[in-house]
Amino acid sequence: MTFEVKYDKLSNQTGNFYIEYQDDRGEPSGIEITDADFHILTDGTNFCVIKTGMLKKHIPKLLKKRRIGIRPNREGAMGYIIPRDIIHELTDFLI
């Protein structure tokens, strides 16, 4: 069992989590290439544990429904902007 932990301190201000899928050179990264069984997303207080496969499965559906967005980060990598309430809906357990 493997885990990938992502700390997003801005999620406390924005109400969203940022999940990278492409690096600044346009190559797949983050969620697109991970081998982790679970993603742990944290704002520094709460830790949301989500099966990576479940997250990958829901991202295209959420994009289609326009419930999540896409934007670059400061370094030029691309990522999904996912509201906390959606992350909580997908969470297997919260620590």
Coordinates of all heavy atoms in Angstrom, one line a residue:
M1 N 0.9 -1.2 0.0 CA 0.0 0.0 0.0 C 0.9 1.2 0.0 O 1.8 1.4 0.8 CB -0.9 0.0 1.2 CG -2.0 1.0 1.2 SD -3.1 0.9 2.6 CE -3.6 -0.8 2.7
T2 N 0.7 2.1 -1.0 CA 1.5 3.3 -1.1 C 0.6 4.6 -1.0 O -0.6 4.6 -1.4 CB 2.3 3.4 -2.4 OG1 1.4 3.2 -3.5 CG2 3.3 2.2 -2.4
F3 N 1.2 5.7 -0.5 CA 0.5 6.9 -0.3 C 1.3 8.1 -1.0 O 2.5 8.1 -0.9 CB 0.4 7.2 1.2 CG -0.4 6.2 1.9 CD1 0.2 5.1 2.4 CD2 -1.8 6.4 2.1 CE1 -0.5 4.1 3.1 CE2 -2.5 5.4 2.8 CZ -1.9 4.3 3.3
E4 N 0.6 9.1 -1.5 CA 1.2 10.3 -2.0 C 0.5 11.4 -1.2 O -0.7 11.5 -1.1 CB 0.9 10.5 -3.4 CG 1.6 11.7 -4.0 CD 1.8 11.7 -5.5 OE1 1.9 10.6 -6.1 OE2 1.9 12.8 -6.1
V5 N 1.3 12.2 -0.5 CA 0.8 13.2 0.4 C 1.0 14.6 -0.2 O 2.1 14.9 -0.7 CB 1.5 13.2 1.8 CG1 0.9 14.3 2.7 CG2 1.3 11.8 2.4
K6 N -0.1 15.4 -0.3 CA 0.0 16.7 -0.9 C -0.5 17.7 0.1 O -1.6 17.6 0.6 CB -0.9 16.8 -2.1 CG -0.4 15.9 -3.2 CD 0.9 16.3 -3.8 CE 1.4 15.4 -4.9 NZ 2.7 15.7 -5.3
Y7 N 0.3 18.7 0.4 CA 0.0 19.8 1.4 C -0.3 21.0 0.5 O 0.5 21.5 -0.3 CB 1.1 20.0 2.3 CG 1.0 21.3 3.2 CD1 -0.1 21.5 3.9 CD2 2.0 22.2 3.2 CE1 -0.3 22.6 4.7 CE2 1.9 23.4 4.0 CZ 0.7 23.5 4.7 OH 0.6 24.7 5.5
D8 N -1.5 21.6 0.7 CA -1.9 22.7 0.0 C -2.3 23.8 1.0 O -3.5 23.9 1.4 CB -3.1 22.4 -1.0 CG -3.5 23.5 -1.9 OD1 -3.1 24.7 -1.6 OD2 -4.2 23.3 -2.9
K9 N -1.4 24.6 1.4 CA -1.6 25.6 2.4 C -2.6 26.7 1.9 O -3.4 27.3 2.7 CB -0.4 26.3 2.9 CG 0.4 27.1 1.9 CD 1.7 27.7 2.5 CE 2.5 28.4 1.4 NZ 3.7 28.9 1.9
L10 N -2.7 26.9 0.6 CA -3.6 27.9 0.1 C -5.1 27.5 0.1 O -6.0 28.3 0.0 CB -3.3 28.3 -1.4 CG -2.0 29.1 -1.6 CD1 -1.7 29.4 -3.0 CD2 -2.1 30.5 -0.8
S11 N -5.3 26.2 0.3 CA -6.7 25.7 0.3 C -7.5 26.3 1.5 O -8.7 26.4 1.4 CB -6.7 24.1 0.4 OG -6.2 23.7 1.7
N12 N -6.8 26.7 2.5 CA -7.4 27.4 3.7 C -8.0 28.7 3.2 O -9.0 29.2 3.8 CB -6.5 27.6 4.8 CG -6.1 26.2 5.5 OD1 -7.0 25.5 5.8 ND2 -4.9 26.0 5.7
Q13 N -7.4 29.4 2.3 CA -7.9 30.7 1.8 C -8.8 30.5 0.6 O -9.8 31.3 0.5 CB -6.7 31.5 1.4 CG -5.7 31.9 2.5 CD -4.4 32.5 2.0 OE1 -4.0 32.2 0.9 NE2 -3.8 33.3 2.9
T14 N -8.5 29.6 -0.3 CA -9.3 29.5 -1.5 C -10.5 28.5 -1.4 O -11.4 28.6 -2.2 CB -8.4 29.0 -2.7 OG1 -8.0 27.6 -2.4 CG2 -7.2 29.8 -2.9
G15 N -10.4 27.6 -0.5 CA -11.5 26.6 -0.4 C -11.3 25.5 -1.4 O -12.2 24.7 -1.6
N16 N -10.2 25.4 -2.1 CA -9.9 24.5 -3.2 C -8.6 23.8 -2.9 O -7.7 24.3 -2.3 CB -9.8 25.1 -4.6 CG -11.1 25.9 -4.9 OD1 -12.1 25.4 -4.9 ND2 -10.9 27.2 -5.3
F17 N -8.5 22.5 -3.5 CA -7.2 21.8 -3.5 C -6.7 21.9 -4.9 O -7.5 21.7 -5.9 CB -7.4 20.4 -3.0 CG -7.4 20.2 -1.5 CD1 -8.6 20.1 -0.9 CD2 -6.2 20.2 -0.8 CE1 -8.6 20.0 0.5 CE2 -6.3 20.1 0.6 CZ -7.5 20.0 1.2
Y18 N -5.4 22.0 -5.1 CA -4.7 22.0 -6.4 C -4.1 20.6 -6.5 O -3.3 20.2 -5.7 CB -3.7 23.1 -6.4 CG -2.9 23.2 -7.7 CD1 -3.4 23.9 -8.8 CD2 -1.7 22.5 -7.9 CE1 -2.7 24.0 -10.0 CE2 -1.0 22.6 -9.1 CZ -1.5 23.4 -10.1 OH -0.8 23.5 -11.3
I19 N -4.4 19.9 -7.6 CA -3.8 18.6 -7.9 C -3.1 18.7 -9.3 O -3.8 18.8 -10.3 CB -4.8 17.5 -7.9 CG1 -5.5 17.4 -6.5 CG2 -4.2 16.2 -8.3 CD1 -6.5 16.4 -6.3
E20 N -1.8 18.7 -9.3 CA -1.0 18.8 -10.5 C -1.2 17.6 -11.4 O -1.3 16.4 -11.0 CB 0.5 19.0 -10.2 CG 1.3 19.2 -11.4 CD 2.8 19.4 -11.0 OE1 3.0 20.3 -10.2 OE2 3.6 18.7 -11.6
Y21 N -1.3 17.8 -12.7 CA -1.3 16.8 -13.7 C -0.3 16.9 -14.9 O -0.1 16.0 -15.7 CB -2.7 16.6 -14.3 CG -3.2 17.7 -15.2 CD1 -2.9 17.7 -16.5 CD2 -3.9 18.8 -14.7 CE1 -3.3 18.8 -17.4 CE2 -4.3 19.8 -15.5 CZ -4.0 19.8 -16.8 OH -4.4 20.9 -17.6
Q22 N 0.3 18.1 -15.0 CA 1.3 18.4 -16.0 C 2.4 19.3 -15.6 O 2.0 20.3 -14.9 CB 0.5 19.0 -17.2 CG 1.4 19.3 -18.4 CD 0.5 19.9 -19.5 OE1 -0.4 19.3 -20.1 NE2 0.7 21.2 -19.8
D23 N 3.6 19.0 -15.8 CA 4.7 19.9 -15.4 C 4.9 21.1 -16.3 O 4.2 21.2 -17.3 CB 6.0 19.1 -15.2 CG 6.6 18.6 -16.5 OD1 6.3 19.1 -17.6 OD2 7.5 17.7 -16.4
D24 N 5.8 22.0 -16.0 CA 6.0 23.2 -16.7 C 6.5 23.0 -18.1 O 6.6 23.9 -18.9 CB 6.9 24.2 -15.9 CG 8.2 23.7 -15.6 OD1 8.5 22.4 -15.8 OD2 9.1 24.5 -15.2
R25 N 6.9 21.8 -18.5 CA 7.4 21.5 -19.8 C 6.3 20.8 -20.7 O 6.6 20.4 -21.8 CB 8.6 20.6 -19.8 CG 9.9 21.3 -19.1 CD 10.9 20.2 -18.7 NE 10.2 19.3 -17.8 CZ 10.7 18.2 -17.3 NH1 11.9 17.8 -17.6 NH2 10.0 17.5 -16.5
G26 N 5.1 20.6 -20.1 CA 4.0 20.0 -20.8 C 4.0 18.5 -20.6 O 3.2 17.8 -21.3
E27 N 4.9 17.9 -19.8 CA 4.9 16.5 -19.6 C 4.0 16.1 -18.5 O 3.7 16.8 -17.5 CB 6.4 16.1 -19.2 CG 7.4 16.4 -20.2 CD 7.3 15.5 -21.4 OE1 6.9 14.3 -21.3 OE2 7.6 16.0 -22.5
P28 N 3.4 14.9 -18.6 CA 2.5 14.4 -17.5 C 3.2 14.3 -16.2 O 4.4 14.0 -16.2 CB 2.1 13.0 -18.0 CG 2.3 13.0 -19.5 CD 3.5 13.9 -19.7
S29 N 2.5 14.7 -15.1 CA 3.1 14.6 -13.8 C 2.0 14.5 -12.8 O 0.8 14.3 -13.1 CB 3.9 15.9 -13.5 OG 3.0 17.1 -13.5
G30 N 2.4 14.4 -11.5 CA 1.4 14.4 -10.4 C 0.4 13.2 -10.6 O 0.8 12.1 -10.7
I31 N -0.9 13.5 -10.5 CA -1.9 12.5 -10.6 C -1.9 11.6 -11.8 O -2.2 10.5 -11.8 CB -3.3 13.2 -10.4 CG1 -4.4 12.1 -10.2 CG2 -3.7 14.0 -11.6 CD1 -4.7 11.7 -8.8
E32 N -1.3 12.2 -12.9 CA -1.3 11.4 -14.2 C -0.2 10.3 -14.2 O -0.4 9.4 -14.9 CB -1.0 12.4 -15.3 CG -2.1 13.3 -15.6 CD -3.4 12.6 -16.0 OE1 -3.4 11.6 -16.8 OE2 -4.5 13.1 -15.5
I33 N 0.8 10.4 -13.3 CA 1.8 9.4 -13.4 C 2.1 8.7 -12.1 O 2.9 7.8 -12.0 CB 3.2 10.0 -13.9 CG1 3.7 11.1 -12.9 CG2 3.0 10.6 -15.3 CD1 5.1 11.5 -13.1
T34 N 1.3 9.0 -11.0 CA 1.6 8.4 -9.7 C 1.2 6.9 -9.7 O 0.4 6.5 -10.4 CB 0.8 9.1 -8.6 OG1 1.2 8.6 -7.4 CG2 -0.7 8.9 -8.8
D35 N 2.0 6.2 -8.9 CA 1.7 4.8 -8.7 C 1.1 4.6 -7.3 O 0.9 3.5 -6.9 CB 3.0 4.0 -8.8 CG 3.6 3.9 -10.2 OD1 2.8 3.9 -11.1 OD2 4.8 3.9 -10.3
A36 N 0.9 5.7 -6.6 CA 0.3 5.6 -5.2 C -1.1 5.0 -5.2 O -1.9 5.3 -6.1 CB 0.3 7.0 -4.6
D37 N -1.3 4.2 -4.2 CA -2.7 3.6 -4.1 C -3.6 4.7 -3.5 O -4.8 4.6 -3.8 CB -2.6 2.4 -3.1 CG -1.8 1.3 -3.6 OD1 -1.9 0.9 -4.8 OD2 -0.9 0.8 -2.9
F38 N -3.1 5.6 -2.7 CA -4.0 6.6 -2.0 C -3.3 7.9 -2.1 O -2.1 8.1 -2.1 CB -4.1 6.3 -0.5 CG -5.0 5.1 -0.3 CD1 -4.4 3.8 -0.1 CD2 -6.3 5.1 -0.1 CE1 -5.1 2.7 0.1 CE2 -7.1 4.0 0.2 CZ -6.5 2.8 0.3
H39 N -4.1 9.0 -2.2 CA -3.7 10.4 -2.1 C -4.2 10.9 -0.8 O -5.3 10.6 -0.4 CB -4.4 11.2 -3.2 CG -3.5 11.5 -4.4 ND1 -3.0 10.5 -5.2 CD2 -3.0 12.7 -4.9 CE1 -2.2 11.1 -6.1 NE2 -2.2 12.4 -5.9
I40 N -3.3 11.5 -0.1 CA -3.7 12.2 1.1 C -3.5 13.7 0.9 O -2.4 14.2 0.6 CB -2.8 11.8 2.3 CG1 -2.9 10.3 2.5 CG2 -3.2 12.6 3.6 CD1 -2.0 9.7 3.6
L41 N -4.6 14.4 0.9 CA -4.7 15.9 0.7 C -4.9 16.5 2.0 O -5.8 16.2 2.8 CB -5.8 16.2 -0.3 CG -5.7 15.6 -1.6 CD1 -7.0 15.9 -2.4 CD2 -4.5 16.0 -2.4
T42 N -4.0 17.5 2.3 CA -4.1 18.1 3.6 C -3.9 19.6 3.5 O -3.2 20.1 2.6 CB -3.0 17.6 4.6 OG1 -3.2 18.3 5.9 CG2 -1.6 17.8 4.1
D43 N -4.7 20.3 4.4 CA -4.6 21.8 4.5 C -3.7 22.2 5.7 O -3.7 23.3 6.1 CB -6.0 22.4 4.6 CG -6.8 21.9 5.7 OD1 -6.2 21.2 6.6 OD2 -8.0 22.1 5.8
G44 N -3.1 21.2 6.3 CA -2.3 21.4 7.5 C -3.1 21.0 8.8 O -2.5 20.8 9.8
T45 N -4.4 20.9 8.7 CA -5.2 20.5 9.9 C -5.9 19.2 9.6 O -5.8 18.3 10.4 CB -6.3 21.6 10.1 OG1 -5.6 22.8 10.4 CG2 -7.1 21.2 11.4
N46 N -6.6 19.1 8.5 CA -7.3 17.9 8.1 C -6.5 17.1 7.0 O -5.9 17.7 6.2 CB -8.7 18.2 7.5 CG -9.6 18.9 8.6 OD1 -9.8 18.4 9.7 ND2 -10.1 20.1 8.2
F47 N -6.6 15.8 7.1 CA -6.0 14.9 6.1 C -7.1 14.1 5.5 O -7.7 13.2 6.1 CB -5.0 14.0 6.8 CG -3.8 14.8 7.4 CD1 -3.9 15.5 8.6 CD2 -2.6 14.9 6.7 CE1 -2.9 16.2 9.1 CE2 -1.5 15.6 7.2 CZ -1.7 16.2 8.4
C48 N -7.3 14.3 4.2 CA -8.3 13.6 3.4 C -7.6 12.4 2.7 O -6.8 12.7 1.8 CB -9.0 14.5 2.4 SG -9.8 15.9 3.2
V49 N -8.0 11.2 3.0 CA -7.4 10.0 2.4 C -8.4 9.5 1.3 O -9.6 9.2 1.6 CB -7.2 8.9 3.4 CG1 -6.5 7.7 2.7 CG2 -6.3 9.5 4.5
I50 N -7.9 9.5 0.0 CA -8.7 9.2 -1.1 C -8.0 8.1 -1.9 O -6.8 8.3 -2.2 CB -9.0 10.4 -2.0 CG1 -9.6 11.5 -1.2 CG2 -9.9 10.0 -3.2 CD1 -9.6 12.9 -1.9
K51 N -8.7 7.1 -2.4 CA -8.1 6.1 -3.3 C -7.8 6.9 -4.6 O -8.6 7.6 -5.2 CB -9.1 5.0 -3.6 CG -9.3 4.1 -2.4 CD -10.3 3.0 -2.8 CE -10.6 2.2 -1.5 NZ -12.0 1.8 -1.5
T52 N -6.5 6.7 -5.0 CA -6.1 7.4 -6.2 C -6.9 7.1 -7.4 O -7.3 7.9 -8.2 CB -4.6 7.1 -6.5 OG1 -3.8 7.5 -5.4 CG2 -4.1 7.8 -7.7
G53 N -7.3 5.8 -7.6 CA -8.1 5.4 -8.7 C -9.5 6.1 -8.7 O -10.0 6.4 -9.7
M54 N -10.1 6.3 -7.5 CA -11.3 7.0 -7.4 C -11.2 8.4 -7.8 O -12.1 8.9 -8.5 CB -11.8 6.9 -5.9 CG -13.1 7.6 -5.7 SD -14.6 6.9 -6.4 CE -14.7 5.4 -5.4
L55 N -10.1 9.1 -7.4 CA -9.9 10.4 -7.8 C -9.7 10.6 -9.3 O -10.4 11.4 -9.9 CB -8.7 10.9 -7.0 CG -8.3 12.4 -7.0 CD1 -9.5 13.2 -6.6 CD2 -7.1 12.7 -6.2
K56 N -8.9 9.7 -9.9 CA -8.7 9.7 -11.3 C -10.0 9.4 -12.1 O -10.3 10.0 -13.1 CB -7.7 8.7 -11.7 CG -6.3 9.0 -11.4 CD -5.3 8.0 -11.9 CE -3.9 8.3 -11.7 NZ -3.0 7.3 -12.2
K57 N -10.8 8.6 -11.5 CA -12.1 8.2 -12.2 C -13.1 9.4 -12.2 O -13.8 9.7 -13.2 CB -12.8 7.0 -11.4 CG -14.1 6.6 -11.9 CD -14.6 5.5 -11.1 CE -16.1 5.3 -11.2 NZ -16.6 4.3 -10.3
H58 N -13.1 10.2 -11.1 CA -14.1 11.3 -11.0 C -13.6 12.6 -11.7 O -14.5 13.4 -12.0 CB -14.4 11.5 -9.5 CG -15.4 10.6 -9.0 ND1 -15.1 9.3 -8.6 CD2 -16.7 10.7 -8.8 CE1 -16.2 8.7 -8.2 NE2 -17.2 9.5 -8.3
I59 N -12.4 12.8 -11.8 CA -11.9 14.1 -12.4 C -12.5 14.4 -13.8 O -13.1 15.4 -14.0 CB -10.4 14.1 -12.5 CG1 -9.8 14.4 -11.0 CG2 -9.9 15.2 -13.4 CD1 -8.3 14.3 -10.9
P60 N -12.5 13.4 -14.7 CA -13.2 13.7 -16.0 C -14.7 14.0 -15.9 O -15.2 14.9 -16.6 CB -13.0 12.5 -16.9 CG -11.8 11.8 -16.2 CD -11.9 12.1 -14.8
K61 N -15.4 13.3 -15.0 CA -16.8 13.6 -14.8 C -17.0 15.0 -14.2 O -17.9 15.7 -14.6 CB -17.4 12.6 -13.9 CG -17.4 11.2 -14.4 CD -17.9 10.2 -13.3 CE -17.8 8.8 -13.7 NZ -18.2 7.9 -12.7
L62 N -16.2 15.4 -13.3 CA -16.3 16.7 -12.7 C -16.0 17.8 -13.6 O -16.6 18.9 -13.6 CB -15.4 16.8 -11.4 CG -15.8 15.8 -10.3 CD1 -14.7 15.7 -9.2 CD2 -17.1 16.3 -9.6
L63 N -15.0 17.6 -14.5 CA -14.6 18.6 -15.5 C -15.8 18.8 -16.5 O -16.2 19.9 -16.8 CB -13.4 18.1 -16.3 CG -12.1 18.4 -15.7 CD1 -11.0 17.6 -16.5 CD2 -11.8 19.8 -15.6
K64 N -16.4 17.7 -16.9 CA -17.6 17.7 -17.8 C -18.7 18.5 -17.2 O -19.4 19.3 -17.9 CB -18.0 16.3 -18.2 CG -19.0 16.3 -19.3 CD -19.3 14.8 -19.7 CE -20.3 14.9 -20.9 NZ -20.6 13.5 -21.3
K65 N -18.9 18.3 -15.9 CA -20.0 19.0 -15.2 C -19.6 20.4 -14.8 O -20.4 21.2 -14.2 CB -20.4 18.2 -14.0 CG -21.1 16.9 -14.3 CD -21.5 16.2 -13.0 CE -22.1 14.9 -13.3 NZ -22.4 14.2 -12.0
R66 N -18.4 20.8 -15.1 CA -17.8 22.1 -14.7 C -17.8 22.4 -13.2 O -18.0 23.5 -12.7 CB -18.5 23.3 -15.4 CG -18.4 23.2 -16.9 CD -19.1 24.3 -17.6 NE -19.0 24.1 -19.0 CZ -18.3 24.9 -19.8 NH1 -17.7 25.9 -19.4 NH2 -18.3 24.7 -21.1
R67 N -17.7 21.3 -12.5 CA -17.6 21.4 -11.0 C -16.2 21.7 -10.5 O -15.9 22.0 -9.4 CB -18.2 20.2 -10.3 CG -19.7 20.1 -10.6 CD -20.3 19.1 -9.6 NE -20.2 19.5 -8.2 CZ -20.3 18.7 -7.2 NH1 -20.5 17.4 -7.5 NH2 -20.2 19.1 -6.0
I68 N -15.2 21.4 -11.4 CA -13.8 21.7 -11.1 C -13.2 22.5 -12.2 O -13.7 22.6 -13.3 CB -13.0 20.4 -10.8 CG1 -12.8 19.6 -12.0 CG2 -13.6 19.7 -9.6 CD1 -12.0 18.3 -11.8
G69 N -12.0 23.1 -12.0 CA -11.4 23.9 -13.0 C -10.0 23.5 -13.2 O -9.5 22.5 -12.6
I70 N -9.3 24.1 -14.2 CA -7.9 23.8 -14.6 C -7.2 25.2 -14.6 O -7.7 26.2 -15.1 CB -7.8 23.2 -16.0 CG1 -8.5 21.9 -16.0 CG2 -6.4 23.0 -16.4 CD1 -8.6 21.2 -17.4
R71 N -6.0 25.2 -14.0 CA -5.2 26.4 -14.1 C -3.7 26.1 -13.8 O -3.4 25.1 -13.1 CB -5.7 27.5 -13.1 CG -5.3 27.4 -11.7 CD -5.6 28.6 -10.9 NE -6.5 29.5 -11.4 CZ -7.3 30.2 -10.6 NH1 -7.3 30.1 -9.3 NH2 -8.2 31.1 -11.1
P72 N -2.9 27.0 -14.3 CA -1.4 26.8 -14.0 C -1.1 27.3 -12.6 O -1.8 28.1 -12.0 CB -0.7 27.7 -15.0 CG -1.7 28.7 -15.4 CD -3.1 28.1 -15.2
N73 N 0.0 26.7 -12.0 CA 0.5 27.3 -10.7 C 1.5 28.3 -11.0 O 1.8 28.7 -12.2 CB 1.0 26.1 -9.8 CG 2.2 25.5 -10.3 OD1 2.9 25.9 -11.3 ND2 2.6 24.4 -9.7
R74 N 2.2 28.8 -10.0 CA 3.2 29.9 -10.2 C 4.4 29.4 -11.0 O 5.0 30.3 -11.6 CB 3.6 30.4 -8.8 CG 2.6 31.1 -8.1 CD 3.1 31.7 -6.8 NE 2.0 32.1 -6.0 CZ 1.7 31.7 -4.8 NH1 2.4 30.9 -4.2 NH2 0.6 32.2 -4.2
E75 N 4.7 28.1 -11.0 CA 5.8 27.7 -11.7 C 5.5 27.3 -13.2 O 6.4 26.8 -13.9 CB 6.4 26.4 -11.0 CG 7.1 26.8 -9.7 CD 6.1 27.0 -8.5 OE1 5.1 26.2 -8.5 OE2 6.3 27.9 -7.7
G76 N 4.2 27.3 -13.5 CA 3.8 27.0 -14.9 C 3.3 25.6 -15.1 O 2.9 25.2 -16.2
A77 N 3.3 24.8 -14.0 CA 2.7 23.5 -14.1 C 1.1 23.6 -14.1 O 0.6 24.6 -13.7 CB 3.1 22.6 -12.9
M78 N 0.5 22.6 -14.7 CA -1.0 22.7 -14.8 C -1.6 21.7 -13.7 O -1.0 20.7 -13.4 CB -1.5 22.2 -16.1 CG -1.1 23.2 -17.3 SD -1.8 24.8 -17.1 CE -3.5 24.5 -17.4
G79 N -2.8 22.1 -13.2 CA -3.4 21.3 -12.2 C -4.9 21.5 -12.2 O -5.4 22.5 -12.7
Y80 N -5.6 20.6 -11.5 CA -7.0 20.7 -11.3 C -7.3 21.5 -10.1 O -6.6 21.3 -9.1 CB -7.6 19.3 -11.2 CG -7.4 18.4 -12.4 CD1 -6.5 17.3 -12.3 CD2 -8.0 18.6 -13.6 CE1 -6.3 16.5 -13.4 CE2 -7.8 17.8 -14.7 CZ -6.9 16.7 -14.6 OH -6.7 15.9 -15.6
I81 N -8.3 22.3 -10.1 CA -8.7 23.1 -8.9 C -10.0 22.4 -8.5 O -11.0 22.5 -9.1 CB -9.0 24.6 -9.3 CG1 -7.8 25.2 -10.0 CG2 -9.4 25.3 -8.1 CD1 -6.5 25.2 -9.1
I82 N -9.9 21.7 -7.3 CA -11.1 20.9 -6.9 C -11.5 21.5 -5.5 O -10.8 21.5 -4.5 CB -10.7 19.5 -6.7 CG1 -10.1 18.9 -8.0 CG2 -11.9 18.6 -6.3 CD1 -9.6 17.5 -8.0
P83 N -12.8 21.9 -5.5 CA -13.4 22.5 -4.2 C -13.3 21.4 -3.1 O -13.4 20.2 -3.3 CB -14.8 22.8 -4.6 CG -14.8 23.0 -6.1 CD -13.8 22.0 -6.6
R84 N -13.1 22.0 -1.9 CA -13.0 21.1 -0.7 C -14.2 20.2 -0.5 O -14.1 19.0 -0.1 CB -12.9 22.0 0.6 CG -11.6 22.5 0.9 CD -11.7 23.2 2.2 NE -10.5 23.9 2.5 CZ -10.1 24.0 3.7 NH1 -10.7 23.5 4.7 NH2 -8.9 24.7 3.9
D85 N -15.4 20.7 -0.8 CA -16.6 19.9 -0.6 C -16.6 18.6 -1.5 O -17.0 17.6 -1.1 CB -17.9 20.7 -0.8 CG -18.1 21.2 -2.1 OD1 -17.1 21.6 -2.8 OD2 -19.3 21.3 -2.6
I86 N -16.0 18.8 -2.7 CA -15.9 17.6 -3.6 C -14.9 16.7 -3.1 O -15.1 15.4 -3.1 CB -15.6 18.1 -5.0 CG1 -16.8 18.8 -5.6 CG2 -15.2 16.9 -5.9 CD1 -16.6 19.4 -7.0
I87 N -13.7 17.2 -2.6 CA -12.7 16.3 -2.0 C -13.3 15.6 -0.8 O -13.1 14.4 -0.7 CB -11.5 17.2 -1.6 CG1 -10.7 17.7 -2.8 CG2 -10.6 16.3 -0.7 CD1 -10.2 16.7 -3.7
H88 N -14.1 16.2 0.0 CA -14.7 15.6 1.2 C -15.7 14.5 0.7 O -15.8 13.4 1.4 CB -15.4 16.6 2.1 CG -14.4 17.4 2.8 ND1 -14.7 18.6 3.5 CD2 -13.0 17.3 3.0 CE1 -13.6 19.1 4.0 NE2 -12.6 18.4 3.7
E89 N -16.4 14.7 -0.4 CA -17.3 13.7 -0.9 C -16.6 12.4 -1.3 O -17.1 11.3 -1.2 CB -18.1 14.2 -2.1 CG -19.1 15.3 -1.8 CD -19.7 15.9 -3.0 OE1 -19.6 15.3 -4.1 OE2 -20.3 17.0 -2.9
L90 N -15.4 12.6 -1.9 CA -14.6 11.5 -2.4 C -13.7 10.8 -1.4 O -13.1 9.8 -1.6 CB -13.7 12.0 -3.6 CG -14.4 12.5 -4.8 CD1 -13.4 13.1 -5.8 CD2 -15.3 11.5 -5.4
T91 N -13.6 11.5 -0.2 CA -12.7 11.0 0.8 C -13.2 9.7 1.4 O -14.3 9.5 1.8 CB -12.6 12.1 2.0 OG1 -12.0 13.2 1.4 CG2 -11.8 11.6 3.1
D92 N -12.2 8.7 1.5 CA -12.5 7.4 2.1 C -12.5 7.6 3.7 O -13.4 7.0 4.3 CB -11.5 6.4 1.7 CG -11.6 6.0 0.3 OD1 -12.7 5.5 -0.1 OD2 -10.7 6.2 -0.5
F93 N -11.6 8.3 4.2 CA -11.7 8.7 5.6 C -10.9 10.0 5.8 O -10.0 10.3 5.1 CB -11.2 7.6 6.5 CG -9.9 7.0 6.3 CD1 -8.8 7.4 7.0 CD2 -9.7 6.0 5.4 CE1 -7.5 6.9 6.8 CE2 -8.5 5.4 5.2 CZ -7.4 5.9 5.9
L94 N -11.3 10.7 6.9 CA -10.7 12.0 7.2 C -10.0 11.8 8.6 O -10.5 11.2 9.5 CB -11.8 13.0 7.4 CG -11.5 14.4 7.6 CD1 -10.7 15.0 6.4 CD2 -12.7 15.2 7.8
I95 N -8.7 12.3 8.6 CA -7.9 12.2 9.8 C -7.8 13.6 10.4 O -7.6 14.6 9.7 CB -6.5 11.6 9.5 CG1 -6.6 10.3 8.9 CG2 -5.7 11.6 10.8 CD1 -5.3 9.7 8.4

